[in-house]
Amino acid sequence: MTSEALQVFAGPAAKARLAERGLRAEDVGLIPAAAGGPKGLILNGLDRFVFGDWLTQSRQTVHLVGASIGAWRMATAALAHRDVTAAFDTMAEAYVTQEYDVLPGEKRPRPEGVSRRFGEILAEIFEGREAEVLAHPRWRLHIVTSRGRAGLLAREGRLRTPLGYLGAFAANAVSRPLLGRFLERVVFSDPRDRLPLKLNDFTSREVHLSRANLRGALLASCSIPFWLQAQHDLPGAPRGAYWDGGITDYHLHLDYRALQQAHAPLVLYPHFQRQVVPGWLDKALKHRHRPTAFLDNVVLLCPSPAWIAKLPGAKLPDRNDFIQLDADERRRRWRVAVAESQRLADEFAALSRRDSLTALAL
């Protein structure tokens, strides 16, 4: 289904349920949140409504799994025990106003400076409140990171990291499972409940999320190679270098089918596009952008092309805006995108009140 701003896509099992009873808050058991940098800002309105209004109509446990900015969004939801709007407003403003020094003669900030400042931003929001995130009565947070395996990517280095990622790129081009020889998916999960999915599609492990590693895991999940530094030896996790969770799981194309046996069988996926791309290195591999049976019970919400065309620059915010726009113009455009995201929330609110809902096929 397409409204003026919002599109709704669904896998076969989800489509049948929407047609039968509409989209009910009590049917949602998991919410994924993709990597994608500033693109995630256009989901701010949906996040405020889904967590602050809509899901309050239900009582079940909901698993929140995110990579990169998606991990930050989901951690914000888990932090927002009382005032969801204020929490997501704070996150959006922190993201919009981030700024990094560029040395004379250079075109972009150095990774060590970006990591230091970004770590400070996360500390301003989460330091001393880690226990709150892990104590939310209903939300269970799961942060996805990419850990370098034995070899070139086991540690970050001036030569070894580019060579390691060159090998990872070549391996992934042949077969996504081959990428697992260079990187593994490490999910930092709420110790109260494991992620209720089978992670056997890719080399994976799950470790406990704790007060000691929450901010480190968040920073690691946002650490884009060559833009930020890797985070090493996170507490409670295997030793090694940890990078952006989007490298292994760009849009979290996970096997969600196990959830269909649960009391709340649907996956609600606010996303910035229709395609659910498996890994960051798959962006150029269009044949891997197609839906699979993994997404059978997914309801995906994304902005329509017509809505995007009305945004500043006729596009979603993206990381290149840091280079192509001056700071004032970048902030202005991103704030407009955040404000306009309320239209997505308003249309979702209207659709969620229907007794039956027709969705487009994923």
Side-chain angles (χ1 to χ4, degrees):
M1 174 173 289
T2 302
S3 301
E4 184 177 349
L6 184 69
Q7 295 180 308
V8 181
F9 297 91
K15 280 186 70 176
R17 196 172 187 91
L18 295 183
E20 176 187 352
R21 51 190 276 144
L23 182 55
R24 299 187 183 184
E26 63 266 28
D27 287 343
V28 174
L30 188 146
I31 297 179
K39 295 182 181 71
L41 290 172
I42 62 95
L43 302 172
N44 189 265
L46 279 170
D47 287 339
R48 282 186 274 118
F49 177 74
V50 167
F51 292 107
D53 293 277
W54 189 63
L55 281 177
T56 62
Q57 303 169 25
S58 59
R59 297 182 178 180
Q60 78 281 7
T61 293
V62 181
H63 293 268
L64 316 180
V65 54
S68 199
I69 190 175
W72 189 0
R73 289 172 46 221
M74 296 301 97
T76 299
L79 184 66
H81 288 240
R82 299 175 184 86
D83 195 336
V84 173
T85 296
F88 278 105
D89 285 350
T90 296
M91 180 205 164
E93 188 63 11
Y95 203 100
V96 167
T97 56
Q98 62 182 308
E99 195 166 342
Y100 305 97
D101 295 329
V102 179
L103 295 178
E106 298 185 6
K107 295 184 177 180
R108 51 192 272 184
R110 292 189 175 182
E112 57 269 26
V114 178
S115 288
R116 183 175 57 254
R117 177 59 191 136
F118 195 69
E120 291 170 353
I121 292 171
L122 292 179
E124 289 167 7
I125 298 173
F126 292 100
E127 187 172 18
R129 303 185 68 187
E130 295 88 352
E132 291 181 52
V133 174
L134 294 168
H136 195 286
R138 293 183 57 199
W139 313 150
R140 302 293 186 264
L141 178 64
H142 310 274
I143 298 172
V144 180
T145 66
S146 302
R147 174 181 172 266
R149 304 194 71 192
L152 290 169
L153 295 180
R155 291 282 160 180
E156 187 173 35
R158 187 172 182 179
L159 293 177
R160 64 189 298 159
T161 301
L163 289 174
Y165 274 104
L166 182 63
F169 181 87
N172 185 73
V174 175
S175 167
R176 175 165 160 79
L178 284 179
L179 175 62
R181 297 184 179 181
F182 291 83
L183 294 159
E184 70 173 349
R185 169 197 294 141
V186 178
V187 184
F188 290 78
S189 286
D190 189 310
R192 294 173 293 179
D193 291 291
R194 296 188 63 181
L195 186 64
L197 305 177
K198 296 179 180 178
L199 298 178
N200 52 13
D201 62 307
F202 189 79
T203 307
S204 306
R205 72 173 76 205
E206 198 170 356
V207 299
H208 281 172
L209 186 62
S210 69
R211 287 181 289 179
N213 64 28
L214 189 145
R215 281 194 293 120
L218 267 180
L219 180 55
S221 189
C222 295
S223 292
I224 305 166
F226 311 112
W227 281 80
L228 288 87
Q229 291 179 316
Q231 300 302 302
H232 289 84
D233 305 335
L234 298 176
R239 290 175 59 83
Y242 289 78
W243 278 280
D244 195 307
I247 302 299
T248 55
D249 293 284
Y250 190 40
H251 294 164
L252 299 163
H253 194 129
L254 304 176
D255 188 351
Y256 296 110
R257 293 173 296 181
L259 205 68
Q260 294 184 65
Q261 309 306 316
H263 173 69
L266 292 184
V267 174
L268 181 71
Y269 195 165
H271 196 16
F272 47 79
Q273 64 179 48
R274 175 181 179 178
Q275 295 77 19
V276 182
V277 181
W280 188 80
L281 298 176
D282 297 320
K283 288 198 296 183
L285 304 177
K286 302 296 184 184
H287 63 285
R288 296 188 188 172
H289 297 192
R290 295 191 292 266
T292 69
F294 282 11
L295 309 180
D296 279 0
N297 56 326
V298 170
V299 179
L300 187 144
L301 314 172
C302 68
S304 70
W307 181 82
I308 294 173
K310 294 179 181 178
L311 294 177
K315 68 177 188 64
L316 300 177
D318 66 56
R319 198 170 61 249
N320 290 328
D321 292 344
F322 279 109
I323 299 172
Q324 297 172 353
L325 303 172
D326 65 55
D328 288 342
E329 177 62 11
R330 175 185 60 80
R331 287 193 290 263
R332 185 193 71 80
R333 290 189 180 192
W334 288 10
R335 285 195 177 105
V336 170
V338 171
E340 287 297 313
S341 72
Q342 183 59 40
R343 293 188 61 196
L344 303 177
D346 292 342
E347 291 189 8
F348 174 72
L351 292 176
S352 68
R353 290 192 288 268
R354 296 187 181 183
D355 292 332
S356 176
L357 190 61
T358 301
L360 300 170
L362 268 172

